[in-house]
Amino acid sequence: MQKIKENVIFVGSQDWDRRLFDELIPLPDGTSYNSYLVKGSEKTALIDTVDPPKAEELTAKLVRLGISRIDYIVSHHAEQDHSGSLPDLLVLYPDAKVVTNPKCKQMLIDLLCIEEDRFITVEDGQTLSLGDKTLEFVYTPWVHWPETMGTYLQEDNIFFSCDFFGSHLAASSLFVEDERVVYEAAKRYYAEIMMPFRGQIKKNLERIKSLKIDIIAPSHGPVYDRPGLIIEAYKDWAGDKVKNEVIIAYVSMHESTRAMVEHFAEALIEKGVTVKEFNLTKTDIGKLAVSLVDAATIVIGSPTVLTGPHPAAAYAAFLVNALRPKTKCISIIGSYGWAGKMVEQLAGLIPNLKAEILEPVLIKGYPKEQDFVLLDELAEKIVEKHTELGVIKD
Ligand code: FEO
């Protein structure tokens, strides 16, 4: 039995094999779907369920633990990796009520066809007594859906945070063992899922400030028995500070753009800037997303293909736009054979970014001496901007 505290038990599943989430996000280290059982002196609650393929594992665990009655199933978030086993659980425990907020209730009805009379809705800050344990519901919208909330177990100072503070990491240990490993996994998770909602994350960090939290139990990844690790990391990632870093995300067909990238990267490195290059034909987009969390500048490199950007560069621009990093400057470099609208089209793909666009460097054919000078000038401009911004060196 994986016990967090007396009568607070982990009953979730590890998914060591999963390599893709939402058919989009690579999972190099698998993931977990965390479900928690809280047994009070009078009532028993289950906090979240598991991804549907793991439903049998969850029900078998509950049967093994001798749980013949569940009074409440708290549903923090309607996404199916946490809610998807609710229909099975409601059959196994016919008297159980789903406890959630009104928005999540409607989503669960829409997504899982759960009947209206199975719900109890709760407001932000409302409490529910299990006898000697009390659940306090904490609305944390937009981490990462509009209906998401958490639950604070008052007597044990445990905050069940759902996706907020989570990490895609399958692990046999219940609690964080290697903080560096979990930090990296949590940062990747933040980058891919939370970063677009940076403003809301700051508000949610404020919202939980008044809670005395000893343990954070998220819905993915290990449980934090030193919550400061992840709270401080979130403050840093969601905060406004950027680092003296340039991300170069590029693709090259016939080496012209690659030659530009190599020269440009060297010029930046010589000037003391950290450079992270991503060849988009080989890149794990999760790694690219992580690098976007705190870089001051992004440069997209692309050849001109059929008068526009290479599709891989367009995909990267689309992704950056969706993830809305706090990047301060952005530019484009690349080459063309005869003509095209690569710069205009790429610029049109990033309307969400509140970054200053630095003069792109677009050259004809393979770069020549005068083109390398333009790249040097762009590197110089970036250093100037970083200095003005007072960015920190990693
Ligand atoms: Fe882990 Fe948004 O579900």
Side-chain angles (χ1 to χ4, degrees):
M1 188 200 301
Q2 290 191 295
K3 200 164 92 175
I4 297 179
K5 282 206 174 178
E6 201 54 40
N7 288 325
V8 183
I9 303 156
F10 176 91
V11 288
S13 288
Q14 303 298 324
D15 196 343
W16 298 90
D17 290 344
R18 191 152 182 186
R19 287 292 171 269
L20 199 62
F21 199 83
D22 290 345
E23 305 310 287
L24 171 68
I25 297 164
L27 303 182
D29 302 306
T31 190
S32 68
Y33 316 107
N34 300 352
S35 174
Y36 303 96
L37 189 72
V38 182
K39 291 196 285 184
S41 54
E42 291 168 21
K43 305 277 186 190
T44 298
L46 185 72
I47 297 192
D48 284 321
T49 70
V50 294
D51 205 33
K54 298 284 189 180
E56 263 188 53
E57 192 181 318
L58 172 58
T59 53
K61 264 186 199 174
L62 293 170
V63 169
R64 252 197 333 270
L65 287 167
I67 307 300
S68 56
R69 180 181 172 89
I70 287 179
D71 301 282
Y72 307 117
I73 305 175
V74 178
S75 182
H76 286 143
H77 173 31
E79 194 167 10
Q80 291 88 334
D81 52 328
H82 311 296
S83 69
S85 300
L86 269 174
D88 291 28
L89 268 291
L90 291 175
V91 170
L92 188 63
Y93 298 102
D95 296 326
K97 293 283 186 193
V98 179
V99 179
T100 191
N101 61 66
K103 221 178 241 177
C104 188
K105 170 186 167 182
Q106 190 53 52
M107 288 173 123
L108 292 170
I109 291 171
D110 293 342
L111 294 170
L112 298 170
C113 307
I114 295 174
E115 286 164 15
E116 178 117 27
D117 64 359
R118 298 302 301 263
F119 287 93
I120 295 174
T121 55
V122 289
E123 294 301 318
D124 186 25
Q126 194 174 327
T127 57
L128 181 66
S129 175
L130 306 179
D132 60 351
K133 290 189 188 291
T134 312
L135 306 179
E136 177 182 340
F137 303 103
V138 181
Y139 280 21
T140 52
W142 293 109
V143 289
H144 58 127
W145 281 17
E147 87 301 9
T148 36
M149 65 178 203
T151 296
Y152 179 62
L153 178 51
Q154 290 180 344
E155 290 77 6
D156 294 305
N157 301 337
I158 302 173
F159 181 49
F160 299 96
S161 61
C162 194
D163 282 343
F164 195 23
F165 302 131
S167 62
H168 280 312
L169 184 64
S172 61
S173 57
L174 175 60
F175 291 99
V176 171
E177 265 191 337
D178 186 332
E179 291 196 342
R180 284 167 308 174
V181 171
V182 178
Y183 181 95
E184 275 313 305
K187 189 172 184 182
R188 176 186 269 258
Y189 188 82
Y190 168 87
E192 293 164 337
I193 296 180
M194 303 289 167
M195 188 157 63
F197 309 108
R198 210 163 58 85
Q200 282 291 335
I201 300 240
K202 287 188 202 170
K203 285 184 191 162
N204 288 328
L205 287 170
E206 280 297 312
R207 171 66 183 86
I208 64 167
K209 232 176 172 176
S210 58
L211 305 175
K212 183 185 178 314
I213 298 173
D214 292 337
I215 290 174
I216 289 180
S219 60
H220 297 287
V223 173
Y224 300 90
D225 50 3
R226 202 177 70 76
L229 167 77
I230 193 66
I231 291 176
E232 290 309 311
Y234 260 65
K235 281 186 195 164
D236 179 30
W237 301 333
D240 295 326
K241 277 189 188 157
V242 286
K243 289 182 180 164
N244 187 25
E245 290 179 2
V246 175
I247 306 307
I248 308 177
Y250 76 98
V251 54
S252 183
M253 286 159 57
H254 300 294
E255 300 301 316
S256 302
T257 303
R258 185 196 297 279
M260 294 178 75
V261 166
E262 282 174 6
H263 181 91
F264 180 55
E266 255 180 53
L268 287 164
I269 292 164
E270 269 177 25
K271 294 174 198 306
V273 180
T274 299
V275 173
K276 293 181 180 168
E277 275 183 37
F278 294 91
N279 178 340
L280 294 167
T281 62
K282 306 177 199 305
T283 291
D284 164 353
I285 58 160
K287 271 195 177 291
L288 174 60
V290 172
S291 75
L292 296 174
V293 170
D294 23 42
T297 297
I298 301 169
V299 175
I300 297 175
S302 175
T304 305
V305 185
L306 301 172
T307 74
H310 188 287
Y315 177 69
F318 186 83
L319 191 69
V320 169
N321 187 59
L323 294 177
R324 299 174 185 235
K326 57 187 171 186
T327 308
K328 307 295 183 198
C329 304
I330 188 156
S331 193
I332 297 165
I333 63 175
S335 73
Y336 62 95
W338 48 96
K341 292 194 169 170
M342 194 255 282
V343 165
E344 295 89 321
Q345 289 185 14
L346 277 179
L349 288 171
I350 48 172
N352 289 343
L353 293 197
K354 293 191 176 83
E356 180 178 350
I357 298 184
L358 305 181
E359 185 65 28
V361 177
L362 201 65
I363 61 133
K364 191 168 187 191
Y366 195 82
K368 300 158 191 82
E369 207 170 314
Q370 69 273 17
D371 303 317
F372 290 129
V373 171
L374 294 175
L375 290 167
D376 289 339
E377 286 171 1
L378 177 58
E380 191 55 52
K381 187 80 194 165
I382 287 170
V383 171
E384 260 175 44
K385 288 286 166 194
H386 284 199
T387 308
E388 273 171 38
L389 290 163
V391 296
I392 52 165
K393 179 83 181 156
D394 193 11

